[in-house]
Amino acid sequence: MIRLVAVIELDGHSPRALQHESSNRVITIGRDNSADFQIPLSTISRQHTRISEIDDVYMIEDLGSTHGTLLNGKKLNKGEKKILRDGDVIEITKARITATIEAEKIISIEPGEGTQAIAARAVQGILGRLGDAQDDGPFLRVITGADEGVRYPFAGTFSEWHLGRSKECEFILNDPNVSRRHAQIKRDWNGFVIYDLGSKNGVQVNDKLVSKPRRLKDHDQITVGPVKLVYIDPNADLLAALKDVPGFGHDDAAEPDELEDDPSLMGVPHGGDEDVSGDGDVSSSGEDSPDPEMMNEGLDEYSAIDPELLEEVGSNTRVEWLLIAGVGAIVVGAVVFIAFVL
């Protein structure tokens, strides 16, 4: 559901507030009475702006209005779509509209409910989704371009996907301004990371140029040349419910958006037998080499044991074996004697 509150300020008049609340997938804003959210100002076009929703993502676009539309202070180009987020501000001439987006909470926390109960319901929800549909995982959806509406799921056993206009790419973007192999997305333990493959027109995530590997988050807007896509993770809300549960949580705030290293290698230990130089020779630094003192650590505990106790243990063991052998001999002898008598 989305709630739009417009504050209209006119010279010489007190500000006037208008409100519109809707669960519709398409909402038009304009001065005409056919608009879903009518704002009666002569400077506003009859059909000025449109807000649409798909896959729980709201997008806004200007409909070729005379005076244009601003989203958070930046003007929208004609036909351009931008993701609309909770708290965003839309400006159309004298009207300033604040958007409040209320997403449906799949996991609602009850008062006094323990973290383990929350985790159990979240995991059940994830497993339920997996059982309902095999393609209900993260995916990309094209929001502008020739392939608008096309959905690219991160399905199968792949761990890498290429975006570009080449037919060899897993996600083909049909636009001449997209490089043949424009970008790459890799899956790691914490999700998905996007890379620019040295493309001509670059890659942007939320209007920021990608110069280093960048972690993707739910509802991120990706710009590949002139094509815009949105990354959607249907399980993001369920995973968010697990963040405070020990053993499940992953602190997104602790990890920067831009990653210095290839995340697929992050945390991988470097053993002493690794070929560090790359010339085939095994090299190891003194820092990685085992410390002889550490290898012998704990052996002094055994040197403090009384030798007589060790000898006693050894002698007791020998006695036990002699007893077992004696009993065995008696049993065998008894069997032989009974057989001879019979």
Side-chain angles (χ1 to χ4, degrees):
M1 185 189 70
I2 186 170
R3 182 182 300 109
L4 302 172
V5 178
V7 177
I8 304 172
E9 296 184 1
L10 298 175
D11 297 336
H13 296 80
S14 300
R16 180 184 175 187
L18 297 175
Q19 180 172 315
H20 178 78
E21 186 174 297
S22 176
S23 298
N24 295 336
R25 305 193 71 172
V26 179
I27 303 169
T28 56
I29 303 173
R31 78 169 190 268
D32 195 80
N33 57 11
S34 63
D36 298 303
F37 188 16
Q38 183 183 15
I39 301 178
L41 289 176
S42 60
T43 54
I44 294 179
S45 299
R46 294 179 180 275
Q47 299 287 325
H48 196 110
T49 306
R50 178 166 56 212
I51 297 174
S52 56
E53 179 269 326
I54 187 170
D55 294 320
D56 295 326
V57 178
Y58 285 89
M59 291 169 287
I60 184 171
E61 61 179 315
D62 184 84
L63 298 176
S65 63
T66 303
H67 298 286
T69 302
L70 299 180
L71 176 62
N72 298 325
K74 295 183 179 180
K75 187 174 182 179
L76 297 177
N77 298 321
K78 182 180 179 180
E80 179 186 16
K81 290 184 179 181
K82 285 280 190 179
I83 294 179
L84 184 66
R85 306 177 191 277
D86 182 46
D88 280 354
V89 176
I90 306 165
E91 295 178 69
I92 47 178
T93 65
K94 297 291 184 177
R96 182 182 175 91
I97 305 171
T98 302
T100 301
I101 299 173
E102 297 181 1
E104 181 182 357
K105 294 184 178 180
I106 296 181
I107 297 295
S108 57
I109 301 176
E110 302 295 335
E113 186 177 21
T115 56
Q116 298 302 326
I118 298 172
R121 288 196 290 121
V123 171
Q124 288 175 358
I126 294 174
L127 294 177
R129 284 185 174 181
L130 292 176
D132 292 339
Q134 295 297 322
D135 59 346
D136 204 22
F139 60 92
L140 298 179
R141 182 179 289 281
V142 182
I143 58 177
T144 62
D147 298 320
E148 181 176 343
V150 172
R151 176 171 170 167
Y152 296 117
F154 294 101
T157 58
F158 295 110
S159 60
E160 298 180 2
W161 296 262
H162 293 86
L163 290 79
R165 72 171 193 273
S166 172
K167 293 183 179 180
E168 297 179 355
C169 293
E170 287 78 19
F171 299 159
I172 301 174
L173 304 178
N174 297 305
D175 192 290
N177 294 310
V178 173
S179 299
R180 292 181 59 81
R181 290 166 64 89
H182 200 112
Q184 183 182 42
I185 295 178
K186 292 184 180 181
R187 190 206 318 255
D188 66 8
W189 291 106
N190 294 326
F192 296 84
V193 178
I194 190 169
Y195 302 74
D196 182 6
L197 297 180
S199 61
K200 181 179 180 180
N201 295 320
V203 177
Q204 296 182 23
V205 175
N206 300 329
D207 297 328
K208 293 183 179 179
L209 191 64
V210 173
S211 58
K212 298 179 180 179
R214 184 182 176 95
R215 174 79 58 197
L216 291 177
K217 299 179 181 179
D218 186 37
H219 289 194
D220 273 351
Q221 179 175 291
I222 304 169
T223 304
V224 180
V227 180
K228 294 184 183 297
L229 310 95
V230 58
Y231 169 76
I232 300 175
D233 183 2
N235 291 323
D237 50 353
L238 294 172
L239 295 175
L242 298 174
K243 65 180 181 179
D244 296 326
V245 179
F248 285 95
H250 173 63
D251 189 0
D252 291 334
E255 183 181 56
D257 290 336
E258 290 190 344
L259 309 176
E260 294 294 336
D261 301 314
D262 188 335
S264 62
L265 301 178
M266 292 177 65
V268 177
H270 298 286
D273 293 337
E274 182 183 2
D275 180 8
V276 178
S277 62
D279 56 6
D281 295 332
V282 175
S283 61
S284 61
S285 64
E287 187 175 321
D288 292 334
S289 301
D291 188 348
E293 294 184 1
M294 295 183 66
M295 293 179 64
N296 293 328
E297 185 179 354
L299 294 181
D300 292 338
E301 299 178 4
Y302 294 100
S303 62
I305 299 177
D306 189 347
E308 294 184 359
L309 293 177
L310 294 177
E311 292 178 2
E312 181 178 349
V313 170
S315 61
N316 289 338
T317 303
R318 289 192 296 270
V319 170
E320 291 175 358
W321 278 108
L322 290 174
L323 290 174
I324 293 173
V327 172
I330 294 173
V331 171
V332 172
V335 172
V336 172
F337 176 75
I338 293 173
F340 177 76
V341 171
L342 297 176

